[in-house]
Amino acid sequence: MSVDSHGNALAALRREFFTGRDAELEMLRELIHNDSRSVFVVWLHGIGGVGKSALLRQFTDELRAQGSVVRSVDMSCTEATPDAFAAALEGQGPLDEAHLLLIDSAELLGALERWLRDEFLPHTPTHLLVVISSRRPPEAQWRADPQWWRSLRSVRLSGMTDAQAVLFLRNRDVPDTSTAGIVRASHGLPFALSLFAEAREASEGNGGRITEEVLFASPNLAGELLNLLLREVPTPTRTGALYVLALARVTTEELVRRTLDVPAGEAEALFAWLHGLSFVDSTATGLVPHGLAREALLADLRWRDPETYERLFRRLHAHLAWRLTQRSGGRWEFGAGLTYLSRVSSAVRRAANWNGADRLRLRGARPEDLDSVLAAIEEEHGAAARSLAGQWWDVQPSAFVVAEDDRTTHISTFVAPCLDPEDATNLPHDPVAFAALSHVAERTASHRRTERLLLGRWSTGSAVATCSALTTLCATTPGLAVSWVCATQDQAELSQLLGLHDHRRGDTFTWVGSRSVSTFVQDWRSVPFVPWAEAAAVRLLAEEPSVEPATAPEPVTLTWPWPQFVSAVKHAYRHLLEPEQLAKNPLRRTRLVAFDEGPAALRRVLTETVAQLRAQHGHPQLADILELTYLSGPRSQQAAARRAGLSFSTYRRRLASSIEAAAMLLRERELYGPAVR
């Protein structure tokens, strides 16, 4: 006489509330009932909490209800040796009687995976289906061995779709008013859905509302997720590498080395360890963690060690800003990485949709992109915009930037031509371009030759991609004086992000019909990119991204006529060894030195400029004149002329040329930062 047990009741509940995985279940059913199958090993893999065990329990319950025999080995409680594996099976009865063999926690197989592949599985009965569950995919040797090409099927389990997640929550009696926040916060991970549903129930007296910020408000939840995902207590150095992984948009070995300040060999080992984690994907540009793992790691770091959090953020931010200004290869990646770091601010996180932003790839548009780019502009901005954008393509195709997702699907466009204020004759008849040039002429310092205006004319799709492209262009466009970016009334996310990234809101215009366009203007001559990025880092950490630091002075707008600037440079060199005089020099109110630095900083800049002048081809004599007159101790101009072996009139002409040449270098340094050596 059979007796009902709690196990039967629990199995019935599992069947009733099981959600999703229809395709995977159907595949397993077809294989188990197909006597002529070629595939007899299925390797299911995915991160912890994705639902591998729930899927296998559902499949096992079905088979046992049909009278099939199932054997299982759980490597989390079995030593990874052939003897221990065989003993675990023998205790359940003959394997020949089984229809299904489950091997769970196969990421713990280690060296036993080779034995399993080469010794054990080839000798299993032909009627047996083997299903292996692991956090990692099978080793490459499976794919390299022809005997497994048709005998092994590797299946990656991803998170639930939004519809499946909603059904999962309804089965737990979560009200519809709460499901949207939980679905977004969980990133489709069933384990997280359960945790957040439980957290909602616990906080029901306070409204029971779960948002995407749930992990930052509940370090215990973050800790539970990390315990599931990691299954180990990492060393302090590995913990630091995990935090870099969480902060960085895409993690490379270089970022690990620079942010943690470790030797190259140690960075290589840490990167390899990160690469092997089940919740980390390898992309064309580096490592990207699962979204929920990223949020849990960041929440844990900010709660556990705020000082380390700020230190790592500052190092990473400064390194990306520096790499971006080198104008070397990979500039789009560095620009996107710098923009992505701004997510540390809760205001920035809430302002836009960041889902998938760590997998976007920016690049300059190619001829084959033209049709899709123009179609996207027409869809979002109208037919007139498409026609005008086509004219811009004919004049300046390099102004078009596209963003693709990890499936190389074109999802975003940014059109940002560079304008030369002294030559507007070759521009398309674009009223926005002429308005931008007029604005700059009327309200900012007049342009010098070689200075340009960056016009962010149109953008489509992702606001995050647009901001990433803009950041890259603002840092790498030679001679950039002013950026002038448009956002229509329908682009609320873009407007918020631009404001939070300290692009100053300008006038609002109406050019086409009733559609209004807001403008965001930044004068990069008064605040060069590196100081701008440094100030942004301070605001982001302070959770005040739109507020100027209270201790910083107002930016100095370069309205000096050139003769006055040269006069200030001459005065500074004349009094180079007199701190009181240097302290009064107007150059101390420019971007040549930080606002809180003293006369010694200005003296250092002036001395470096002489060395820079000497390194320039054809200018060593000018540097010698400055050296003899000002740097090598007080002496009269007559004495300096004699030391130089020049007549006094020739010396005076060369001294004037030397001062002007040094002033040119100093103005360039103020506008664009120190020269790269």
Side-chain angles (χ1 to χ4, degrees):
M1 177 179 176
S2 62
V3 178
D4 283 341
S5 67
H6 290 302
N8 293 332
L10 291 172
L13 288 172
R14 285 199 299 268
R15 288 193 296 273
E16 180 182 355
F17 294 122
F18 184 78
T19 307
R21 306 303 181 200
D22 295 333
E24 292 85 356
L25 274 174
E26 188 59 32
M27 174 201 66
L28 293 173
R29 290 167 184 149
E30 289 180 0
L31 288 175
I32 198 73
H33 295 302
N34 186 353
D35 295 333
S36 60
R37 63 177 178 256
S38 59
V39 172
F40 72 93
V41 178
V42 177
W43 191 295
L44 294 173
H45 60 95
I47 69 172
V50 79
K52 300 183 296 296
S53 297
L55 169 62
L56 294 182
R57 280 198 302 267
Q58 179 73 5
F59 185 52
T60 300
D61 288 344
E62 285 187 13
L63 291 185
R64 285 177 171 151
Q66 298 165 10
S68 298
V69 177
V70 179
R71 302 281 187 257
S72 63
V73 178
D74 186 349
M75 295 309 301
S76 66
C77 51
T78 304
E79 187 180 355
T81 64
D83 290 344
F85 189 93
L89 280 177
E90 288 171 3
Q92 302 175 57
L95 189 59
D96 291 350
E97 298 176 359
H99 301 88
L100 174 69
L101 169 61
L102 300 180
I103 303 175
D104 203 2
S105 301
E107 68 274 5
L108 302 176
L109 283 167
L112 194 64
E113 185 174 338
R114 179 178 179 180
W115 171 83
L116 191 75
R117 180 182 65 247
D118 297 339
E119 301 294 334
F120 176 79
L121 291 175
H123 295 95
T124 55
T126 56
H127 67 270
L128 185 71
L129 177 66
V130 180
V131 180
I132 300 172
S133 171
S134 176
R135 296 188 175 201
R136 300 189 181 96
E139 292 178 342
Q141 287 85 341
W142 295 84
R143 300 190 298 274
D145 190 338
Q147 70 177 337
W148 290 108
W149 290 351
R150 296 179 181 175
S151 301
L152 170 75
R153 181 174 297 175
S154 178
V155 178
R156 177 178 180 176
L157 288 189
S158 301
M160 287 182 167
T161 66
D162 287 355
Q164 291 170 341
V166 168
L167 180 58
F168 181 97
L169 293 173
R170 285 175 178 167
N171 286 338
R172 274 201 69 142
D173 297 325
V174 175
D176 289 347
T177 54
S178 299
T179 56
I182 296 178
V183 169
R184 284 194 299 269
S186 69
H187 293 260
L189 203 66
F191 181 77
L193 287 167
S194 295
L195 280 183
F196 298 158
E198 186 176 287
R200 187 207 68 82
E201 293 168 5
S203 62
E204 199 160 12
N206 299 320
R209 186 168 177 266
I210 297 292
T211 70
E212 291 174 88
E213 302 288 305
V214 58
L215 292 177
F216 294 97
S218 179
N220 289 336
L221 284 180
E224 286 189 68
L225 283 169
L226 291 179
N227 288 337
L228 171 76
L229 294 171
L230 285 170
R231 261 196 179 172
E232 64 175 293
V233 179
T235 64
T237 310
R238 285 185 171 183
T239 299
L242 283 170
Y243 292 148
V244 174
L245 180 79
L247 281 165
R249 172 182 174 270
V250 176
T251 298
T252 62
E253 191 175 310
E254 173 192 341
L255 288 187
V256 173
R257 184 176 71 253
R258 295 287 189 177
T259 310
L260 296 182
D261 193 22
V262 295
E266 187 172 359
E268 181 181 4
L270 289 170
F271 185 79
W273 176 73
L274 291 175
H275 190 200
L277 294 174
S278 64
F279 55 85
V280 176
D281 286 338
S282 178
T283 71
T285 52
L287 304 180
V288 176
H290 185 276
L292 192 63
R294 185 192 292 278
E295 301 303 318
L297 285 165
L298 281 178
D300 183 70
L301 173 59
R302 293 177 68 168
W303 170 72
R304 188 182 303 278
D305 194 345
E307 183 180 352
T308 297
Y309 161 71
E310 291 192 10
R311 184 177 71 252
L312 293 179
F313 171 83
R314 287 177 184 275
R315 284 183 180 175
L316 185 55
H317 196 278
H319 176 69
L320 289 172
W322 175 79
R323 287 290 271 126
L324 188 53
T325 56
Q326 304 312 293
R327 300 173 185 169
S328 58
R331 64 171 182 153
W332 298 114
E333 289 301 315
F334 295 126
L338 196 63
T339 301
Y340 195 83
L341 263 182
S342 64
R343 287 180 69 257
V344 300
S345 160
S346 59
V348 173
R349 281 198 306 276
R350 290 192 299 266
N353 180 6
W354 292 86
N355 289 340
D358 49 1
R359 297 173 186 270
L360 292 180
R361 291 196 298 274
L362 299 175
R363 61 171 176 82
R366 304 168 185 143
E368 59 267 27
D369 297 316
L370 179 58
D371 289 342
S372 61
V373 163
L374 294 182
I377 291 173
E378 180 177 13
E379 181 179 354
E380 196 154 334
H381 299 280
R386 176 189 178 117
S387 175
L388 192 51
Q391 296 177 45
W392 275 112
W393 180 280
D394 294 336
V395 172
Q396 203 174 129
S398 60
F400 289 70
V401 181
V402 300
E404 299 171 332
D405 61 16
D406 52 359
R407 296 181 297 277
T408 67
T409 302
H410 173 206
I411 64 167
S412 185
T413 298
F414 184 47
V415 184
C418 279
L419 312 181
D420 182 352
E422 295 186 356
D423 183 15
T425 57
N426 295 322
L427 300 181
H429 188 67
D430 186 344
V432 178
F434 293 121
L437 289 171
S438 175
H439 172 97
V440 170
E442 292 173 1
R443 305 190 189 182
T444 66
S446 59
H447 280 68
R448 293 175 58 213
R449 206 156 42 92
T450 76
E451 291 183 347
R452 295 190 285 176
L453 181 147
L454 182 72
L455 172 63
R457 184 61 178 91
W458 296 285
S459 61
T460 70
S462 166
V464 173
T466 296
C467 280
S468 298
L470 177 63
T471 298
T472 304
L473 293 171
C474 288
T476 60
T477 299
L480 179 62
V482 176
S483 58
W484 206 82
V485 184
C486 301
T488 69
Q489 60 189 11
D490 300 324
Q491 294 178 305
E493 284 192 5
L494 178 59
S495 293
Q496 288 189 65
L497 279 185
L498 289 171
L500 291 169
H501 284 86
D502 202 31
H503 293 274
R504 309 302 173 88
R505 185 181 287 271
D507 296 329
T508 299
F509 300 90
T510 301
W511 282 291
V512 181
S514 60
R515 174 173 292 186
S516 63
V517 175
S518 298
T519 60
F520 294 82
V521 183
Q522 181 69 25
D523 190 334
W524 296 101
R525 299 165 300 179
S526 62
V527 186
F529 184 81
V530 170
W532 175 85
E534 291 172 350
V538 173
R539 291 194 300 275
L540 291 166
L541 284 175
E543 287 286 349
E544 298 174 349
S546 60
V547 179
E548 288 290 337
T551 57
E554 288 297 315
V556 178
T557 303
L558 297 178
T559 55
W560 285 8
W562 178 244
Q564 290 183 22
F565 187 82
V566 175
S567 177
V569 172
K570 183 177 181 179
H571 179 275
Y573 274 111
R574 183 180 296 167
H575 299 285
L576 188 67
L577 303 179
E578 303 174 44
E580 291 184 2
Q581 290 294 324
L582 278 185
K584 301 174 184 177
N585 192 284
L587 294 179
R588 283 204 57 231
R589 293 187 287 107
T590 69
R591 292 285 172 177
L592 289 171
V593 294
F595 70 92
D596 57 349
E597 291 185 315
L602 180 56
R603 184 185 304 118
R604 183 180 67 251
V605 170
L606 295 167
T607 304
E608 290 173 355
T609 301
V610 174
Q612 185 182 353
L613 189 63
R614 178 171 284 111
Q616 288 191 342
H617 180 68
H619 286 166
Q621 301 92 339
L622 300 182
D624 290 342
I625 293 295
L626 291 176
E627 177 83 32
L628 288 170
T629 306
Y630 301 122
L631 270 65
S632 58
R635 59 165 53 89
S636 66
Q637 290 189 358
Q638 289 82 357
R642 288 195 299 271
R643 183 81 179 270
L646 301 172
S647 68
F648 191 63
S649 60
T650 301
Y651 162 80
R652 291 289 299 272
R653 287 196 302 273
R654 290 194 180 176
L655 179 60
S657 298
S658 301
I659 292 292
E660 183 140 352
M664 288 291 292
L665 292 176
L666 287 164
R667 176 59 68 88
E668 294 297 321
R669 178 168 181 156
E670 179 173 25
L671 295 179
Y672 310 118
V676 179
R677 296 178 180 173

